[in-house]
Amino acid sequence: MELNFGTNSLDNFCSDQDGLSLKPLRCPAPFLLKTYDLLEEGSEEKDGIKIVSWNEEGNGFVVWSPAEFSELILPRYFKHNNFSSFIRQLNTYGFKKTSSKIWEFKHEKFQKGCRHMLVEINRKKCEPSVFPQYLKSCSEENAMTSSSVEESINNHEILMEENKNLKKERLELQMQIAECKALEMKLLDCLSQYMDTSQNKVRRL
Amino acid sequence: MELNFGTNSLDNFCSDQDGLSLKPLRCPAPFLLKTYDLLEEGSEEKDGIKIVSWNEEGNGFVVWSPAEFSELILPRYFKHNNFSSFIRQLNTYGFKKTSSKIWEFKHEKFQKGCRHMLVEINRKKCEPSVFPQYLKSCSEENAMTSSSVEESINNHEILMEENKNLKKERLELQMQIAECKALEMKLLDCLSQYMDTSQNKVRRL
DNA sequence: GGGAATATTCCC
DNA sequence: GGGAATATTCCC
């Protein structure tokens, strides 16, 4: 079974140590904590050969032996033993592979001795571009060489599929709009605050 | 580690048995297959006491002993040993708890001896409540019962109409988003200009 | 029970 | 590398 590393909570707020002032403190994502801890918890070795470690500069890490890493390390920290799933997560959090020769990964905010910086690493949101590719949902099935009944059923299914996709797309667009509106509010808020501040500044002078 | 049950693929299409006609066949979701198999693979017992089994009528199943079920059964089929995660999945797929006294669950399409019916069980889609749900109605009409030719034509026209409207709506939403983005740009511009201006003002004073 | 975030898988 | 579906977790 999986080890438990203190913070398993999925939300990003923790209570303060003193238990009184409940100022919301950000917690790093579980994936980041586990990956960091995995590097700190002893230089992982097998038969005297390093499996995974921080790099020389301490500003990245190297998986020296992906096979051993997947088999021995991953299942101790995650619910799987697939190297590719681990990579997928690294990408999700914006890590970059630095070399085509070795499995070295870097992220500006992922550095040896800087566990506190992990909070600044954010999961990438999937933000569709302003005009999404509605070309994708277009159905391009030509294989209707059978009787007209089948054909009609087939057409029906294609229509249903397209319909379903359109509804999904609509929802996504509506959510995008909501996000835009939220951002507008923030900007307006920011603008008005700025105006206040600088007016005061002028007044004081 | 987890057992592997034939179909682990996450997409819902399988190739035909004969390997020639590649008509897409739906595969049940992994969760459903595992839950079904878990019930078929021997009456799970511990010390002569049933842990989980089909109910009398074979139209549902009962977790007789949640503690043993979580500890012994779940990790053999899933990547966890949490009863509540299992329940969460059941809810996601539309199962209903039938009693407040025992952990019995039913789904119309989940019946003993009917593994093939699992394909008809669909995951509930999460539609955020922020927006009006005037889209919730049409999703699962497969059963064209009797003199279905006229009906099918009728349905077809309705679908076409709905489809057309959806595309129109999409365009409108995309335009709304474009406007939002433009406004955002203006606001940002305004903000930066304002900052410049007021800094200059301060400098002059 | 279900919304929503993160994790894992599969596919392009 | 990343999109998208399903799985798992956490919270209300």
Side-chain angles (χ1 to χ4, degrees), chain B residues 105-116:
Chain B
F105 297 93
K106 288 187 182 174
H107 187 295
E108 201 192 346
K109 307 288 185 180
F110 191 85
Q111 310 221 359
K112 185 169 183 174
C114 304
R115 205 169 188 271
H116 61 278

Side-chain angles (χ1 to χ4, degrees), chain A residues 4-8 14 17 26-41 54 58 77 108-121:
Chain A
N4 210 333
F5 293 96
T7 303
N8 234 341
C14 307
Q17 267 88 333
R26 289 197 151 281
C27 290
F31 170 77
L32 299 169
L33 288 173
K34 291 177 182 181
T35 303
Y36 186 92
D37 289 340
L38 159 177
L39 287 160
E40 294 294 290
E41 270 152 22
W54 290 103
Y77 293 82
E108 203 193 345
K109 306 289 184 179
F110 191 85
Q111 311 221 0
K112 186 170 182 172
C114 305
R115 202 168 191 272
H116 60 279
M117 277 198 333
L118 299 181
V119 294
E120 299 175 51
I121 302 180

Side-chain angles (χ1 to χ4, degrees), chain B residues 130-180:
Chain B
V130 191
F131 303 104
Q133 269 124 316
Y134 48 92
L135 41 143
K136 255 191 167 177
S137 55
C138 58
S139 55
E140 303 191 356
E141 269 91 78
N142 293 353
M144 283 190 261
T145 45
S146 50
S147 63
S148 58
V149 180
E150 285 178 30
E151 199 178 330
S152 133
I153 293 172
N154 204 359
N155 271 337
H156 195 74
E157 282 173 358
I158 293 173
L159 263 181
M160 297 254 285
E161 178 74 12
E162 194 179 5
N163 220 292
K164 203 182 70 184
N165 289 333
L166 281 167
K167 283 177 182 166
K168 194 176 152 201
E169 224 183 309
R170 175 173 64 183
L171 194 62
E172 288 165 356
L173 286 168
Q174 287 170 334
M175 291 178 68
Q176 246 186 290
I177 289 173
E179 278 174 32
C180 279

Side-chain angles (χ1 to χ4, degrees), chain A residues 79-142:
Chain A
K79 290 177 181 296
H80 65 84
N81 56 0
N82 304 310
F83 194 52
S84 55
S85 292
F86 181 69
I87 305 292
R88 185 74 197 84
Q89 282 282 71
L90 289 176
N91 287 325
T92 299
Y93 284 94
F95 283 73
K96 296 292 175 201
K97 195 167 183 299
T98 61
S99 153
S100 61
K101 306 235 169 68
I102 60 167
W103 294 98
E104 184 183 45
F105 296 92
K106 287 188 183 173
H107 187 294
E108 203 193 345
K109 306 289 184 179
F110 191 85
Q111 311 221 0
K112 186 170 182 172
C114 305
R115 202 168 191 272
H116 60 279
M117 277 198 333
L118 299 181
V119 294
E120 299 175 51
I121 302 180
N122 295 310
R123 210 180 151 80
K124 283 189 205 162
K125 287 288 167 63
C126 45
E127 297 183 34
S129 57
V130 180
F131 290 99
Q133 318 82 314
Y134 46 87
L135 321 166
K136 241 165 76 178
S137 61
C138 287
S139 47
E140 14 174 313
E141 266 92 85
N142 309 333

